[in-house]
């Protein structure tokens, strides 16, 4: 039976705190890691900036975590709808990914020990669980919430990218074997999802216009794989090849910027933040000094300005009441089990 507060008339803004809100934490944590990579170029001031941004990411996560618990208590049906939704269910992976990134920021800042290791293990195992849950749905028919064209959006990359992030903190924490195992899951399904998305464009057409910012997620897999490959000690040329894939992905999706800018601001715009931060971090990792390092600094400046603009737009949207609202044009959900 639904909770009394599940009814549309009684619903408050908290009901519409969809899982994708954790993409804000991903963007901030990714930016903190990018600033950390800028220390060889910009000095300890970049490290201080990384620390401040990392603390902001942790604070946002704490607020969202409390709000998520309250939402689950007051609006249990809303949580059930998220799990059935053909697109929103993939964003559930942003919660463990945010935790993985917070552990990574802690390690990058020189904080290691049992609490960080516990956070890393909890988040990596949670990420594995969510990935398994998302992909298990594929075995069901489309009518029962399985794989369907409505689900084939760049958001499908999210559970995959979470697995290739694990080594960034796992290797320094002394867990290279598990890190490599989970990294392999991401390597296996990254091209599978890419093929699915191209097939959807050919057969069904692109995803809804409001999801256009999510196209920037195409940048994330090669950028993060490149960073993790270096963490495993792979030859730099391997990561340069992955950097080239990420660069092409950026050039590819950048053609959509006029259409994205023409849309009213919404939570999907945060889908641009983490991929750009990851690409910036890889650029700075591969070009730590010399003239080419300035390209990384320019990327860092652009990414920082973008995320600052997204943060300001988010604050404005919360004040105006335009963000914690129902979907303008709901995507069909699978029937309740």
């Amino acid at each position: 039976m639904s909770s009394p507060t599940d009814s549309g008339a009684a619903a408050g803004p908290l009901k519409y705190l969809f899982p994708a809100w954790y993409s804000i934490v991903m963007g901030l944590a990714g930016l903190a890691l990018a600033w950390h990579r800028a220390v060889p170029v910009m000095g300890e001031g970049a490290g201080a900036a990384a620390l401040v941004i990392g603390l902001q990411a942790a604070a946002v996560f704490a607020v969202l975590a409390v709000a998520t618990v309250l939402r689950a208590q007051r609006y249990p049906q809303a949580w059930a709808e998220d799990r059935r939704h053909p697109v929103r269910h993939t964003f559930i992976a942003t919660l463990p990914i945010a935790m993985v990134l917070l552990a990574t920021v802690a390690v990058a800042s020189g904080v290691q020990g049992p609490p960080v290791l516990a956070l890393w293990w909890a988040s990596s195992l949670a990420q594995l669980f969510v990935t398994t849950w998302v992909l298990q749905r594929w075995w069901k028919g489309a009518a029962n919430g399985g794989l369907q064209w409505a689900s084939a959006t760049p958001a499908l990359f999210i559970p995959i990218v979470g697995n290739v992030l694990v080594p960034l903190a796992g290797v320094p924490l002394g867990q290279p074997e598990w890190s490599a195992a989970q990294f392999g899951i991401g390597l296996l399904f990254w091209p599978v999802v890419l093929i699915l998305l191209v097939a959807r464009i050919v057969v069904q057409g692109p995803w809804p216009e409001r999801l256009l910012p999510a196209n920037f997620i195409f940048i994330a897999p090669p950028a993060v794989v490149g960073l993790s490959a270096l963490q495993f000690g792979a030859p730099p040329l391997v990561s340069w090849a992955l950097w080239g894939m990420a660069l092409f992905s950026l050039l590819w999706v950048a053609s959509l910027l006029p259409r994205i800018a023409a849309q009213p601001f919404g939570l999907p715009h945060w889908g641009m933040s983490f991929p750009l931060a990851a690409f910036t971090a890889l650029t700075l990792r591969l070009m730590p000094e010399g003239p080419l390092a300035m390209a990384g600094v320019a990327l860092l400046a652009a990414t920082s300005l973008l995320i600052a603009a997204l943060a300001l737009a988010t604050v404005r949207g919360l004040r105006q009441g335009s963000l914690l609202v129902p979907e303008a044009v709901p995507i069909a959900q699978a029937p309740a089990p």
Side-chain angles (χ1 to χ4, degrees):
M1 178 180 295
S2 298
S3 165
T5 53
D6 274 330
S7 64
L14 190 61
K15 179 177 180 179
Y16 306 109
L17 188 79
F18 301 129
W21 278 85
Y22 285 93
S23 62
I24 298 176
V25 182
M26 291 178 59
L28 290 172
L31 183 62
L33 293 173
W35 274 95
H36 172 72
R37 289 298 178 190
V39 170
V41 183
M42 303 176 65
E44 290 305 319
L51 179 60
V52 170
I53 299 169
L55 290 173
Q56 290 175 341
V60 173
F61 178 85
V63 171
L64 288 176
V66 172
T68 298
V69 172
L70 292 175
R71 178 181 185 248
Q73 293 174 344
R74 297 180 185 179
Y75 306 105
Q77 187 57 34
W79 174 241
E81 290 172 0
D82 290 339
R83 299 196 306 272
R84 294 197 303 269
H85 196 279
V87 176
R88 283 208 306 269
H89 78 279
T90 59
F91 284 97
I92 292 174
T94 58
L95 198 164
I97 290 174
M99 295 168 60
V100 169
L101 285 168
L102 290 177
T104 305
V105 170
V107 170
S109 301
V111 180
Q112 296 189 27
V116 176
L117 181 61
L119 174 63
W120 178 83
W121 269 114
S123 56
S124 62
L125 292 175
Q127 177 60 33
L128 176 62
F129 173 81
V130 173
T131 302
T132 304
W133 172 73
V134 169
L135 296 186
Q136 280 179 344
R137 293 166 59 107
W138 292 10
W139 299 120
K140 303 178 182 179
N144 296 315
L147 189 60
Q148 52 189 288
W149 288 125
S151 302
T153 74
L156 270 182
F157 280 127
I158 295 174
I160 307 306
V161 171
N163 293 286
V164 297
L165 276 168
V166 166
L168 295 181
V171 173
L173 288 171
Q175 309 297 325
E177 296 83 6
W178 181 259
S179 297
Q182 203 156 349
F183 180 76
I185 297 170
L187 287 185
L188 173 64
F189 282 99
W190 166 26
V192 173
V193 172
L194 180 60
I195 292 169
L196 277 173
L197 297 183
V198 173
R200 179 203 162 130
I201 293 173
V202 173
V203 176
Q204 190 77 7
W207 27 93
E209 194 81 0
R210 69 179 184 272
L211 292 179
L212 278 182
N215 286 308
F216 275 73
I217 301 177
F218 279 99
I219 303 167
V224 177
V225 170
L227 286 167
S228 291
L230 290 171
Q231 202 76 310
F232 285 124
L237 287 179
V238 172
S239 288
W240 272 107
L242 290 157
W243 182 86
M245 296 181 196
L247 174 63
F248 176 79
S249 299
L250 173 58
L251 296 174
W252 184 29
V253 300
S255 63
L256 299 172
L257 282 173
R259 291 165 60 188
I260 293 173
Q263 294 186 32
F265 175 77
L267 194 58
H269 284 78
W270 275 98
M272 305 167 65
S273 62
F274 175 75
L276 288 173
F279 181 61
T280 301
L282 179 59
T283 302
L284 290 164
R285 177 73 169 80
L286 291 170
M287 310 175 189
E289 56 187 18
L292 289 177
M294 292 301 101
V297 173
L299 271 173
L300 181 61
T303 303
S304 299
L305 287 173
L306 171 68
I307 291 178
L310 291 174
L312 290 174
T314 302
V315 172
R316 187 184 308 115
L318 288 172
R319 288 178 176 173
Q320 295 175 349
S322 60
L323 293 180
L324 293 172
V325 294
E327 289 181 336
V329 182
I331 301 174
Q333 296 180 2

